[in-house]
Amino acid sequence: MPSTTLSPTSRTSIGRGRNRMVEDRAALHELLADALVAHLGVTVERDGASHPLVLPTAYAVDLDGPDRDGTLYLHGSVAAGWLRASTDRTVCVTVTELDGLVAGRSAFHHSMNYRSAVVIGRARLVDDAEERQHALDLIVDHMIPGRSATLRPSTRKELVATAVLAVPLHEASMKARAGGPVDEPSDVEAGVWGGHIPLRRVAGRPVPDADSSGPVPADVVGRAAAL
Amino acid sequence: MPSTTLSPTSRTSIGRGRNRMVEDRAALHELLADALVAHLGVTVERDGASHPLVLPTAYAVDLDGPDRDGTLYLHGSVAAGWLRASTDRTVCVTVTELDGLVAGRSAFHHSMNYRSAVVIGRARLVDDAEERQHALDLIVDHMIPGRSATLRPSTRKELVATAVLAVPLHEASMKARAGGPVDEPSDVEAGVWGGHIPLRRVAGRPVPDADSSGPVPADVVGRAAAL
């Protein structure tokens, strides 16, 4: 049975800032649905030394995927270096949405409003053709809901060039902050102003490319309107 | 003399997607000025095993900092686990701005418009009191330009609780994508629609907290108007 809460392991337990810890797995799912970019962290080994590498990437989630608490999918070129550094290794996938800037009454109490999830797990290279195709459809539909059904099937050549990685959603933690500053009472009493600036992402009107004619497809119009 | 171009080392050289490589250091500086959140990648060792950990964090840049090509500053609680995992270690700091969704004529040619910088370097814990204070001012002013000058000085207790990390901006690479899809000629000829949805971040009206009275400070008004 899937977990309804986030029960971090020692790798994902939150040390500092427990007051910002989110334990409801539904909040994690909502963040992963809202955000568009993940940051993938891998350990790269080169010349006998290793270092972390963090790259931005598209992603999608399948809550009914093969892993107990759902599966997070990433894709990339089969020639990408990060792919070799990820396969069958422990990776970290972090998804962050910035919701505001918090103007405290002191430098110390400046902060940001955000939601952020950290997923740690062993990355599996997806071999099964059906799972790969499903994951690629989910990634396209995460960008623009409904889009994959409107497109021609991928060619064999396209599928061969694309690798898909699966990371279990099981080992995850989430933090969130919202609202105004939490200031020192003395600064509040001194009458200093404190507050926050809400931030959000908006979409502009869809831009057809030079080769396009006819109306903008409904899925693209809908995506732009929903953002 | 500072570098004017990005001359990646083997650790930051771009393998796949050279067509998206940005070589102008000024573009890196512009991205770091525009973005608000960085993703810090560190290698965490625990129970004899190591894994990558990626955390979102505020940051600031000092192009006149102690490192030849400028210094990137991060801050956090002295008690934070990632701080111990970063100090005198190689870290990766990645900054990404999402600029659009690219609706290609096939799943394969779906993409995102973005600017992303990867900085790899040895993190130094800033001991010098003057450099620390300067870095903390820069981090506050990166969030809300001009703000640090309006705030009371940090207390000794606040400074003791705050750690500052410095990462040289020297070893960096940047990629960017803009515009519409690059599709297969056969899909273009078939008359399929292709284009992109521009995305941007906007600020709402500043929200005073319940303890605030009087006008919203000019720096806060200015920040919200400029975003």
Side-chain angles (χ1 to χ4, degrees):
Chain A
M1 208 168 84
S3 313
T4 57
T5 58
L6 294 166
S7 306
T9 65
S10 62
R11 297 195 296 194
T12 53
S13 68
I14 289 170
R16 292 284 311 167
R18 282 176 192 279
N19 55 322
R20 298 182 183 171
M21 188 166 77
V22 176
E23 293 186 83
D24 181 7
R25 201 163 262 275
L28 171 72
H29 299 163
E30 192 180 334
L31 166 60
L32 294 174
D34 284 355
L36 291 161
V37 171
H39 280 83
L40 168 71
V42 300
T43 303
V44 175
E45 274 151 55
R46 197 189 296 266
D47 305 332
S50 71
H51 65 89
L53 180 66
V54 180
L55 296 173
T57 178
Y59 70 93
V61 165
D62 186 357
L63 292 181
D64 300 315
D67 302 296
R68 191 185 103 185
D69 289 315
T71 303
L72 192 149
Y73 289 111
L74 312 171
H75 75 323
S77 161
V78 289
W82 61 263
L83 202 74
R84 287 187 294 277
S86 300
T87 303
D88 296 329
R89 305 288 197 82
T90 300
V91 302
C92 179
V93 183
T94 298
V95 174
T96 305
E97 284 284 276
L98 179 63
D99 295 328
L101 302 174
V102 181
R105 292 169 172 84
S106 59
F108 191 74
H109 288 296
H110 273 65
S111 189
M112 293 194 188
N113 288 331
Y114 66 95
R115 291 162 290 153
S116 185
V118 171
V119 179
I120 294 178
R122 195 175 170 86
R124 170 175 60 89
L125 192 64
V126 177
D127 286 323
D128 180 75
E130 199 175 322
E131 186 184 1
R132 266 161 53 85
Q133 184 60 66
H134 180 56
L136 293 170
D137 286 348
L138 288 175
I139 291 171
V140 165
D141 287 341
H142 181 65
M143 282 178 56
I144 303 173
R147 185 133 186 94
S148 70
T150 73
L151 301 168
R152 65 161 170 79
S154 294
T155 64
R156 201 182 128 70
K157 191 179 155 191
E158 289 169 345
L159 288 173
V160 165
T162 307
V164 175
L165 280 182
V167 181
L169 262 187
H170 178 63
E171 198 174 340
S173 64
M174 182 173 165
K175 289 176 85 171
R177 190 199 191 285
V182 178
D183 280 310
E184 302 302 321
S186 54
D187 293 325
V188 174
E189 282 156 27
V192 182
W193 188 92
H196 72 279
I197 303 174
L199 297 175
R200 65 195 171 93
R201 184 173 48 231
V202 295
R205 188 186 293 265
V207 180
D209 72 7
D211 295 320
S212 286
S213 58
V216 179
D219 51 356
V220 176
V221 172
R223 183 44 151 165
L227 277 167
Chain B
M1 209 168 83
S3 313
T4 57
T5 57
L6 294 166
S7 306
T9 65
S10 63
R11 296 196 295 194
T12 53
S13 68
I14 289 170
R16 292 284 311 168
R18 283 177 191 279
N19 55 321
R20 297 182 184 170
M21 188 166 79
V22 176
E23 293 186 82
D24 182 6
R25 200 163 263 275
L28 171 72
H29 299 164
E30 193 181 333
L31 167 60
L32 293 174
D34 284 356
L36 291 161
V37 171
H39 280 83
L40 169 70
V42 299
T43 303
V44 175
E45 274 152 56
R46 197 190 296 267
D47 305 331
S50 71
H51 66 88
L53 180 66
V54 179
L55 296 173
T57 177
Y59 71 92
V61 165
D62 186 358
L63 292 181
D64 300 317
D67 302 296
R68 192 185 102 184
D69 289 314
T71 304
L72 192 149
Y73 289 111
L74 312 170
H75 74 321
S77 160
V78 290
W82 60 264
L83 202 73
R84 288 188 295 277
S86 299
T87 303
D88 297 329
R89 304 290 195 83
T90 301
V91 301
C92 179
V93 183
T94 298
V95 174
T96 305
E97 285 284 277
L98 179 62
D99 295 328
L101 302 174
V102 181
R105 291 168 172 84
S106 60
F108 190 74
H109 288 296
H110 273 65
S111 188
M112 294 194 187
N113 288 332
Y114 65 95
R115 291 162 289 152
S116 185
V118 171
V119 179
I120 294 178
R122 195 174 170 86
R124 170 175 62 89
L125 192 65
V126 177
D127 287 323
D128 180 76
E130 200 175 320
E131 185 184 3
R132 265 162 54 84
Q133 185 59 66
H134 181 56
L136 292 171
D137 285 349
L138 288 175
I139 291 171
V140 166
D141 287 341
H142 181 66
M143 281 177 56
I144 303 174
R147 185 132 186 93
S148 69
T150 72
L151 301 169
R152 66 162 169 77
S154 294
T155 65
R156 199 182 131 70
K157 191 178 156 193
E158 288 168 346
L159 289 173
V160 164
T162 308
V164 174
L165 279 182
V167 181
L169 262 188
H170 177 64
E171 199 174 341
S173 64
M174 181 173 165
K175 288 176 85 171
R177 191 199 190 284
V182 178
D183 279 310
E184 301 302 320
S186 54
D187 292 325
V188 174
E189 282 156 26
V192 183
W193 188 93
H196 71 280
I197 302 173
L199 297 176
R200 66 196 171 90
R201 183 172 48 231
V202 295
R205 188 187 292 267
V207 180
D209 73 6
D211 296 319
S212 286
S213 58
V216 179
D219 51 357
V220 176
V221 173
R223 183 45 151 164
L227 276 167

